[in-house]
Amino acid sequence: MKVLAMDTSNQVMSVAVLDNQKIVAEITTNVKRNHSVRLMPAIDEVMKEAKMTPAELDQIVVAHGPGSFTGVRIGVTTAKSLAYSLNIPIIAVSSLEMAAFNGLYFNGRICSFFDARRGRVYAGLYKNENCQLTAVRDEENVLFTDWLEDLKKQDEPILFISNDLHIHKDNIKAVLGEQAEFPPAFLAVPRASALAHIAQTKAAEDVHALTPNYLRLAEAEAKWLEKNQEKRSHE
């Protein structure tokens, strides 16, 4: 099984080619640059490094959010285009589950999150069951203070994994104290090879029906809906 996996859902961009779960080539960057101009060259490079042609691929895997609206759209659109043109299955994996995978062997709860601005985060909570991540609660777009107060009720340690940890670490410590644990920095970066591994437990998607998982509307869309609801209420 030859797999091309990609993630552009946040600042990190990661692309990998695997052959029977063996990592053949992988590119992961953590810089503020436009994924729209970097993704296809990265795909081209890993395919060349793997000495593989697109026609040899058996499956496409993509992180479909939540995260940056633009980043998620770029990844999902590219993955769908490739899967459709090659006529091969596409599998979508939560970006939060992908990030949490770096803490798979932690003995406790694993909280992955991405900053969503204005005190909010996209967050998920997982645990290890037989070397597989299991969601403990649904992913949410939530005020981080509310999320942390809920986690405080968990009677076990919690590992926080996020490339945005520097933004919220002090707040986490203030609420959870010694209950909170933090990984070394290199484990905060999600990798496409992990994405492909997780995909083994997921069903393929309808390439036409697959959509990004934003967890919330874009600010412009939310304002538009609010404005139009107000208009209707006055009619």
Side-chain angles (χ1 to χ4, degrees):
M1 172 76 75
K2 294 178 172 61
V3 178
L4 172 65
M6 67 192 75
D7 170 40
T8 60
S9 55
N10 288 283
Q11 179 173 297
V12 174
M13 183 192 75
S14 189
V15 181
V17 173
L18 292 86
D19 189 353
N20 292 322
Q21 288 303 305
K22 175 186 176 182
I23 303 170
V24 182
E26 185 169 28
I27 293 175
T28 300
T29 62
N30 187 12
V31 293
K32 291 183 178 180
R33 291 182 185 170
N34 193 333
H35 294 325
S36 65
V37 298
R38 299 171 61 238
L39 179 57
M40 287 307 297
I43 291 172
D44 184 57
E45 185 172 344
V46 293
M47 293 294 289
K48 286 178 178 176
E49 288 292 327
K51 293 182 172 57
M52 199 179 296
T53 65
E56 294 178 83
L57 291 171
D58 300 300
Q59 189 180 85
I60 303 292
V61 181
V62 63
H64 71 138
S68 157
F69 284 83
T70 302
V72 171
R73 280 197 296 269
I74 290 167
V76 171
T77 301
T78 303
K80 288 179 64 171
S81 298
L82 288 170
Y84 178 75
S85 62
L86 296 170
N87 194 27
I88 57 177
I90 184 170
I91 294 179
V93 175
S94 161
S95 304
L96 286 166
E97 184 176 357
M98 177 190 180
F101 192 81
N102 282 350
L104 178 65
Y105 295 105
F106 180 70
N107 186 24
R109 297 292 192 254
I110 305 157
C111 174
S112 57
F113 69 89
F114 308 129
D115 184 67
R117 301 181 182 178
R118 299 181 181 178
R120 303 184 73 86
V121 296
Y122 302 110
L125 191 65
Y126 305 87
K127 64 179 179 179
N128 179 353
E129 286 190 345
N130 301 317
C131 296
Q132 298 288 342
L133 282 181
T134 299
V136 176
R137 58 187 287 179
D138 291 338
E139 297 173 353
E140 295 183 48
N141 172 246
V142 62
L143 280 171
F144 204 23
T145 51
D146 292 346
W147 178 266
L148 293 175
E149 288 296 336
D150 284 345
L151 294 189
K152 195 174 181 180
K153 302 169 187 175
Q154 301 280 335
D155 188 24
E156 57 187 316
I158 299 171
L159 179 69
F160 287 86
I161 297 180
S162 176
N163 200 42
D164 299 320
L165 188 59
H166 62 285
I167 301 173
H168 298 280
K169 191 171 185 178
D170 289 343
N171 193 20
I172 294 169
K173 287 181 177 178
V175 176
L176 293 171
E178 294 183 0
Q179 188 182 359
E181 298 195 27
F182 308 99
F186 72 91
L187 287 178
V189 178
R191 288 176 170 81
S193 51
L195 188 67
H197 180 82
I198 297 168
Q200 293 180 95
T201 64
K202 311 291 184 183
E205 303 274 351
D206 181 317
V207 69
H208 300 293
L210 174 60
T211 57
N213 174 26
Y214 294 128
L215 276 189
R216 68 178 175 90
L217 294 173
E219 186 174 358
E221 292 175 297
K223 286 182 177 179
W224 184 88
L225 285 173
E226 182 180 355
K227 183 179 178 180
N228 279 272
Q229 285 172 351
E230 287 177 357
K231 280 184 179 179
R232 284 196 294 269
S233 66
H234 293 305
E235 287 177 354

